[in-house]
Short mmCIF file of all heavy atoms in Angstrom, two decimals:
data_model
loop_
_atom_site.label_atom_id
_atom_site.label_comp_id
_atom_site.label_asym_id
_atom_site.label_seq_id
_atom_site.Cartn_x
_atom_site.Cartn_y
_atom_site.Cartn_z
N GLU A 1 144.03 50.41 97.35
CA GLU A 1 143.35 50.59 96.08
C GLU A 1 143.37 52.06 95.67
O GLU A 1 143.53 52.39 94.49
CB GLU A 1 141.91 50.08 96.15
CG GLU A 1 141.20 50.17 94.81
CD GLU A 1 139.79 49.62 94.84
OE1 GLU A 1 139.39 49.08 95.88
OE2 GLU A 1 139.09 49.75 93.82
N CYS A 2 143.23 52.92 96.65
CA CYS A 2 143.29 54.36 96.37
C CYS A 2 144.66 54.73 95.79
O CYS A 2 144.74 55.54 94.86
CB CYS A 2 143.02 55.15 97.65
SG CYS A 2 143.02 56.93 97.42
N ASN A 3 145.72 54.16 96.34
CA ASN A 3 147.06 54.41 95.81
C ASN A 3 147.15 54.02 94.33
O ASN A 3 147.72 54.75 93.52
CB ASN A 3 148.11 53.62 96.60
CG ASN A 3 148.38 54.18 97.98
OD1 ASN A 3 149.05 53.54 98.78
ND2 ASN A 3 147.86 55.36 98.29
N GLU A 4 146.58 52.87 93.99
CA GLU A 4 146.59 52.43 92.60
C GLU A 4 145.85 53.42 91.70
O GLU A 4 146.32 53.75 90.60
CB GLU A 4 145.97 51.04 92.47
CG GLU A 4 146.76 49.94 93.16
CD GLU A 4 146.15 48.55 93.00
OE1 GLU A 4 145.10 48.44 92.33
OE2 GLU A 4 146.73 47.58 93.53
N LEU A 5 144.71 53.90 92.18
CA LEU A 5 143.92 54.84 91.38
C LEU A 5 144.64 56.18 91.23
O LEU A 5 144.62 56.80 90.16
CB LEU A 5 142.55 55.04 92.03
CG LEU A 5 141.65 53.80 92.08
CD1 LEU A 5 140.39 54.08 92.90
CD2 LEU A 5 141.28 53.33 90.68
N MET A 6 145.29 56.62 92.29
CA MET A 6 146.05 57.87 92.22
C MET A 6 147.22 57.72 91.24
O MET A 6 147.50 58.64 90.45
CB MET A 6 146.56 58.25 93.61
CG MET A 6 145.45 58.64 94.57
SD MET A 6 145.96 58.60 96.31
CE MET A 6 147.13 59.95 96.37
N ALA A 7 147.88 56.57 91.29
CA ALA A 7 148.99 56.33 90.37
C ALA A 7 148.49 56.37 88.93
O ALA A 7 149.14 56.95 88.04
CB ALA A 7 149.64 54.98 90.68
N HIS A 8 147.34 55.75 88.68
CA HIS A 8 146.79 55.76 87.33
C HIS A 8 146.52 57.19 86.86
O HIS A 8 146.78 57.55 85.70
CB HIS A 8 145.51 54.94 87.25
CG HIS A 8 144.96 54.87 85.86
ND1 HIS A 8 144.10 55.82 85.35
CD2 HIS A 8 145.18 53.97 84.86
CE1 HIS A 8 143.80 55.51 84.09
NE2 HIS A 8 144.44 54.39 83.77
N THR A 9 146.00 58.01 87.75
CA THR A 9 145.72 59.39 87.39
C THR A 9 146.98 60.13 86.97
O THR A 9 146.98 60.87 85.96
CB THR A 9 145.07 60.12 88.58
OG1 THR A 9 143.87 59.44 88.96
CG2 THR A 9 144.73 61.56 88.22
N TYR A 10 148.08 59.94 87.70
CA TYR A 10 149.34 60.60 87.35
C TYR A 10 149.92 60.02 86.06
O TYR A 10 150.54 60.74 85.27
CB TYR A 10 150.34 60.49 88.50
CG TYR A 10 150.21 61.63 89.49
CD1 TYR A 10 149.09 61.71 90.32
CD2 TYR A 10 151.17 62.62 89.57
CE1 TYR A 10 148.94 62.75 91.20
CE2 TYR A 10 151.03 63.68 90.46
CZ TYR A 10 149.91 63.74 91.28
OH TYR A 10 149.77 64.80 92.16
N SER A 11 149.72 58.73 85.85
CA SER A 11 150.16 58.14 84.58
C SER A 11 149.40 58.76 83.42
O SER A 11 149.97 59.05 82.36
CB SER A 11 149.95 56.62 84.61
OG SER A 11 150.75 55.99 85.59
N HIS A 12 148.11 58.96 83.62
CA HIS A 12 147.26 59.52 82.56
C HIS A 12 147.54 61.00 82.32
O HIS A 12 147.71 61.45 81.18
CB HIS A 12 145.80 59.31 82.92
CG HIS A 12 144.84 59.99 81.98
ND1 HIS A 12 144.57 59.50 80.71
CD2 HIS A 12 144.12 61.14 82.11
CE1 HIS A 12 143.72 60.31 80.11
NE2 HIS A 12 143.43 61.31 80.94
N LEU A 13 147.58 61.78 83.39
CA LEU A 13 147.72 63.23 83.25
C LEU A 13 149.14 63.69 82.91
O LEU A 13 149.32 64.64 82.15
CB LEU A 13 147.28 63.93 84.55
CG LEU A 13 145.79 63.85 84.90
CD1 LEU A 13 145.55 64.48 86.27
CD2 LEU A 13 144.95 64.54 83.83
N PHE A 14 150.14 63.01 83.47
CA PHE A 14 151.51 63.50 83.35
C PHE A 14 152.47 62.53 82.66
O PHE A 14 153.66 62.81 82.54
CB PHE A 14 152.06 63.85 84.75
CG PHE A 14 151.15 64.77 85.51
CD1 PHE A 14 150.49 64.34 86.66
CD2 PHE A 14 150.92 66.07 85.08
CE1 PHE A 14 149.64 65.17 87.36
CE2 PHE A 14 150.07 66.93 85.78
CZ PHE A 14 149.43 66.48 86.92
N GLY A 15 151.94 61.37 82.22
CA GLY A 15 152.80 60.41 81.53
C GLY A 15 153.82 59.75 82.44
O GLY A 15 154.83 59.23 81.95
N LEU A 16 153.57 59.77 83.75
CA LEU A 16 154.49 59.14 84.69
C LEU A 16 154.28 57.62 84.66
O LEU A 16 153.21 57.14 85.02
CB LEU A 16 154.24 59.66 86.11
CG LEU A 16 154.97 58.93 87.25
CD1 LEU A 16 156.48 59.13 87.13
CD2 LEU A 16 154.46 59.42 88.62
N PRO A 17 155.27 56.85 84.23
CA PRO A 17 155.11 55.39 84.26
C PRO A 17 155.03 54.89 85.70
O PRO A 17 155.90 55.19 86.52
CB PRO A 17 156.38 54.87 83.57
CG PRO A 17 156.87 56.03 82.75
CD PRO A 17 156.54 57.24 83.58
N THR A 18 153.97 54.17 86.04
CA THR A 18 153.81 53.64 87.39
C THR A 18 153.47 52.16 87.32
O THR A 18 152.68 51.73 86.48
CB THR A 18 152.69 54.36 88.16
OG1 THR A 18 151.42 54.13 87.52
CG2 THR A 18 152.94 55.87 88.23
N THR A 19 154.07 51.39 88.21
CA THR A 19 153.78 49.96 88.31
C THR A 19 153.51 49.61 89.77
O THR A 19 154.36 49.84 90.63
CB THR A 19 154.94 49.10 87.80
OG1 THR A 19 155.21 49.43 86.43
CG2 THR A 19 154.61 47.62 87.89
N GLY A 20 152.32 49.09 90.03
CA GLY A 20 151.97 48.66 91.38
C GLY A 20 152.17 47.17 91.54
O GLY A 20 151.78 46.38 90.67
N LEU A 21 152.80 46.78 92.63
CA LEU A 21 153.07 45.38 92.92
C LEU A 21 152.21 44.94 94.11
O LEU A 21 152.38 45.45 95.22
CB LEU A 21 154.55 45.17 93.24
CG LEU A 21 155.54 45.65 92.17
CD1 LEU A 21 156.98 45.41 92.63
CD2 LEU A 21 155.28 44.96 90.84
N ARG A 22 151.32 44.02 93.86
CA ARG A 22 150.46 43.51 94.92
C ARG A 22 151.15 42.35 95.63
O ARG A 22 151.14 41.21 95.17
CB ARG A 22 149.11 43.07 94.35
CG ARG A 22 148.28 44.24 93.83
CD ARG A 22 147.01 43.76 93.15
NE ARG A 22 146.19 44.88 92.67
CZ ARG A 22 145.16 44.75 91.86
NH1 ARG A 22 144.81 43.53 91.44
NH2 ARG A 22 144.48 45.81 91.47
N PHE A 23 151.78 42.65 96.75
CA PHE A 23 152.51 41.64 97.51
C PHE A 23 151.53 40.69 98.22
O PHE A 23 150.53 41.14 98.79
CB PHE A 23 153.40 42.28 98.57
CG PHE A 23 154.46 43.20 98.02
CD1 PHE A 23 155.01 44.18 98.82
CD2 PHE A 23 154.91 43.07 96.72
CE1 PHE A 23 156.00 45.03 98.34
CE2 PHE A 23 155.90 43.91 96.22
CZ PHE A 23 156.45 44.89 97.04
N PHE A 24 151.87 39.41 98.24
CA PHE A 24 151.06 38.40 98.91
C PHE A 24 151.82 37.84 100.11
O PHE A 24 152.80 37.11 99.96
CB PHE A 24 150.70 37.26 97.95
CG PHE A 24 149.52 37.56 97.06
CD1 PHE A 24 149.60 38.54 96.08
CD2 PHE A 24 148.32 36.88 97.20
CE1 PHE A 24 148.52 38.83 95.25
CE2 PHE A 24 147.23 37.16 96.39
CZ PHE A 24 147.33 38.13 95.41
N THR A 25 151.39 38.21 101.33
CA THR A 25 151.89 37.69 102.60
C THR A 25 153.40 37.46 102.58
O THR A 25 153.88 36.33 102.61
CB THR A 25 151.16 36.38 103.00
OG1 THR A 25 149.76 36.52 102.75
CG2 THR A 25 151.38 36.09 104.48
N VAL A 26 154.12 38.56 102.56
CA VAL A 26 155.58 38.50 102.52
C VAL A 26 156.13 38.09 103.89
O VAL A 26 155.64 38.54 104.93
CB VAL A 26 156.16 39.87 102.12
CG1 VAL A 26 157.68 39.77 101.93
CG2 VAL A 26 155.50 40.38 100.85
N TYR A 27 157.15 37.23 103.90
CA TYR A 27 157.78 36.82 105.14
C TYR A 27 159.27 36.59 104.89
O TYR A 27 159.71 36.46 103.74
CB TYR A 27 157.14 35.53 105.69
CG TYR A 27 157.53 34.29 104.92
CD1 TYR A 27 158.50 33.41 105.41
CD2 TYR A 27 156.96 34.00 103.68
CE1 TYR A 27 158.88 32.29 104.69
CE2 TYR A 27 157.33 32.87 102.96
CZ TYR A 27 158.29 32.03 103.46
OH TYR A 27 158.67 30.92 102.74
N GLY A 28 160.04 36.52 105.98
CA GLY A 28 161.47 36.26 105.85
C GLY A 28 162.26 37.11 106.82
O GLY A 28 161.69 37.83 107.66
N PRO A 29 163.60 37.05 106.77
CA PRO A 29 164.44 37.86 107.65
C PRO A 29 164.06 39.34 107.61
O PRO A 29 163.67 39.86 106.58
CB PRO A 29 165.84 37.63 107.08
CG PRO A 29 165.77 36.27 106.45
CD PRO A 29 164.38 36.19 105.88
N TRP A 30 164.18 39.98 108.77
CA TRP A 30 163.83 41.40 108.94
C TRP A 30 162.32 41.63 108.81
O TRP A 30 161.86 42.72 108.51
CB TRP A 30 164.61 42.31 107.98
CG TRP A 30 166.08 42.24 108.20
CD1 TRP A 30 166.97 41.47 107.48
CD2 TRP A 30 166.85 42.90 109.20
NE1 TRP A 30 168.24 41.62 107.98
CE2 TRP A 30 168.19 42.50 109.05
CE3 TRP A 30 166.52 43.79 110.23
CZ2 TRP A 30 169.21 42.96 109.86
CZ3 TRP A 30 167.54 44.26 111.03
CH2 TRP A 30 168.87 43.85 110.85
N ASP A 31 161.55 40.57 109.06
CA ASP A 31 160.10 40.69 109.05
C ASP A 31 159.64 41.68 110.12
O ASP A 31 160.35 41.92 111.10
CB ASP A 31 159.48 39.31 109.34
CG ASP A 31 158.07 39.17 108.81
OD1 ASP A 31 157.54 40.14 108.25
OD2 ASP A 31 157.50 38.08 108.95
N ARG A 32 158.45 42.27 109.93
CA ARG A 32 157.91 43.19 110.92
C ARG A 32 157.54 42.43 112.19
O ARG A 32 157.01 41.32 112.11
CB ARG A 32 156.67 43.89 110.38
CG ARG A 32 156.97 44.93 109.33
CD ARG A 32 155.78 45.84 109.04
NE ARG A 32 154.49 45.43 109.49
CZ ARG A 32 153.43 45.26 108.69
NH1 ARG A 32 153.55 45.43 107.38
NH2 ARG A 32 152.25 44.91 109.18
N PRO A 33 157.78 43.02 113.36
CA PRO A 33 157.46 42.34 114.62
C PRO A 33 155.98 42.06 114.83
O PRO A 33 155.63 41.25 115.69
CB PRO A 33 157.98 43.33 115.68
CG PRO A 33 159.02 44.13 114.99
CD PRO A 33 158.54 44.27 113.57
N ASP A 34 155.09 42.72 114.06
CA ASP A 34 153.66 42.47 114.24
C ASP A 34 153.13 41.43 113.26
O ASP A 34 151.93 41.14 113.26
CB ASP A 34 152.88 43.78 114.08
CG ASP A 34 153.04 44.39 112.69
OD1 ASP A 34 154.16 44.36 112.16
OD2 ASP A 34 152.05 44.90 112.15
N MET A 35 154.00 40.85 112.44
CA MET A 35 153.56 39.85 111.48
C MET A 35 153.55 38.46 112.11
O MET A 35 154.25 38.19 113.10
CB MET A 35 154.46 39.87 110.25
CG MET A 35 154.43 41.19 109.49
SD MET A 35 152.80 41.58 108.82
CE MET A 35 152.78 40.52 107.38
N ALA A 36 152.75 37.56 111.53
CA ALA A 36 152.48 36.26 112.15
C ALA A 36 153.74 35.45 112.46
O ALA A 36 153.90 34.94 113.57
CB ALA A 36 151.55 35.45 111.26
N LEU A 37 154.64 35.32 111.50
CA LEU A 37 155.82 34.47 111.71
C LEU A 37 156.67 34.99 112.85
O LEU A 37 157.17 34.22 113.68
CB LEU A 37 156.63 34.37 110.42
CG LEU A 37 157.84 33.43 110.46
CD1 LEU A 37 157.42 32.02 110.85
CD2 LEU A 37 158.55 33.40 109.11
N PHE A 38 156.83 36.28 112.92
CA PHE A 38 157.61 36.89 114.00
C PHE A 38 156.92 36.66 115.34
O PHE A 38 157.56 36.24 116.32
CB PHE A 38 157.76 38.39 113.73
CG PHE A 38 158.88 39.05 114.48
CD1 PHE A 38 160.01 39.49 113.82
CD2 PHE A 38 158.81 39.24 115.85
CE1 PHE A 38 161.04 40.10 114.51
CE2 PHE A 38 159.83 39.86 116.55
CZ PHE A 38 160.95 40.29 115.87
N LEU A 39 155.61 36.89 115.39
CA LEU A 39 154.86 36.70 116.63
C LEU A 39 154.88 35.25 117.08
O LEU A 39 155.06 34.95 118.27
CB LEU A 39 153.41 37.16 116.42
CG LEU A 39 153.18 38.66 116.24
CD1 LEU A 39 151.72 38.92 115.85
CD2 LEU A 39 153.53 39.42 117.51
N PHE A 40 154.71 34.33 116.13
CA PHE A 40 154.71 32.91 116.47
C PHE A 40 156.08 32.48 117.01
O PHE A 40 156.17 31.75 117.99
CB PHE A 40 154.35 32.07 115.24
CG PHE A 40 152.93 32.22 114.77
CD1 PHE A 40 152.56 31.73 113.52
CD2 PHE A 40 151.97 32.82 115.56
CE1 PHE A 40 151.24 31.85 113.08
CE2 PHE A 40 150.66 32.96 115.12
CZ PHE A 40 150.30 32.47 113.88
N THR A 41 157.13 32.91 116.34
CA THR A 41 158.49 32.54 116.76
C THR A 41 158.78 33.05 118.16
O THR A 41 159.30 32.31 119.02
CB THR A 41 159.53 33.10 115.76
OG1 THR A 41 159.31 32.52 114.48
CG2 THR A 41 160.94 32.81 116.21
N LYS A 42 158.46 34.29 118.40
CA LYS A 42 158.70 34.88 119.72
C LYS A 42 157.89 34.14 120.80
O LYS A 42 158.41 33.87 121.89
CB LYS A 42 158.31 36.36 119.69
CG LYS A 42 158.76 37.18 120.90
CD LYS A 42 158.53 38.67 120.64
CE LYS A 42 159.13 39.52 121.75
NZ LYS A 42 158.44 39.38 123.03
N ALA A 43 156.66 33.80 120.49
CA ALA A 43 155.82 33.10 121.46
C ALA A 43 156.37 31.71 121.77
O ALA A 43 156.38 31.29 122.94
CB ALA A 43 154.40 32.99 120.92
N ILE A 44 156.82 31.00 120.76
CA ILE A 44 157.37 29.66 120.97
C ILE A 44 158.59 29.73 121.88
O ILE A 44 158.74 28.95 122.83
CB ILE A 44 157.74 29.00 119.63
CG1 ILE A 44 156.47 28.61 118.87
CG2 ILE A 44 158.63 27.78 119.85
CD1 ILE A 44 156.72 28.06 117.48
N LEU A 45 159.48 30.69 121.62
CA LEU A 45 160.69 30.82 122.41
C LEU A 45 160.41 31.25 123.85
O LEU A 45 161.18 30.96 124.76
CB LEU A 45 161.65 31.81 121.74
CG LEU A 45 162.32 31.29 120.46
CD1 LEU A 45 163.04 32.42 119.74
CD2 LEU A 45 163.30 30.16 120.79
N GLU A 46 159.28 31.96 124.04
CA GLU A 46 158.92 32.42 125.38
C GLU A 46 157.88 31.52 126.04
O GLU A 46 157.34 31.86 127.09
CB GLU A 46 158.40 33.85 125.30
CG GLU A 46 159.46 34.85 124.84
CD GLU A 46 158.91 36.26 124.64
OE1 GLU A 46 157.67 36.44 124.79
OE2 GLU A 46 159.70 37.16 124.32
N SER A 47 157.58 30.37 125.38
CA SER A 47 156.62 29.39 125.90
C SER A 47 155.26 30.03 126.18
O SER A 47 154.61 29.76 127.21
CB SER A 47 157.18 28.74 127.18
OG SER A 47 158.38 28.06 126.90
#
């Protein structure tokens, strides 16, 4: 949220166009090893 507020400040003060994208539980190839799908897959394969 702080990032969004900082972006707004720069948009206001310096006219920098900023767009924040609120990602919702992203998953898929090259997922982070600490994310649920990766952890679950690894656990299943290792019993």
Side-chain angles (χ1 to χ4, degrees):
E1 184 177 355
C2 182
N3 287 170
E4 294 182 1
L5 296 173
M6 292 163 68
H8 183 272
T9 302
Y10 272 70
S11 295
H12 173 75
L13 292 175
F14 308 113
L16 171 65
T18 64
T19 301
L21 304 179
R22 292 175 179 168
F23 299 157
F24 278 67
T25 317
V26 186
Y27 75 101
W30 299 97
D31 204 358
R32 287 194 344 238
D34 62 319
M35 298 297 282
L37 184 57
F38 199 110
L39 291 172
F40 291 167
T41 298
K42 191 170 187 292
I44 288 175
L45 288 169
E46 295 175 357
S47 299

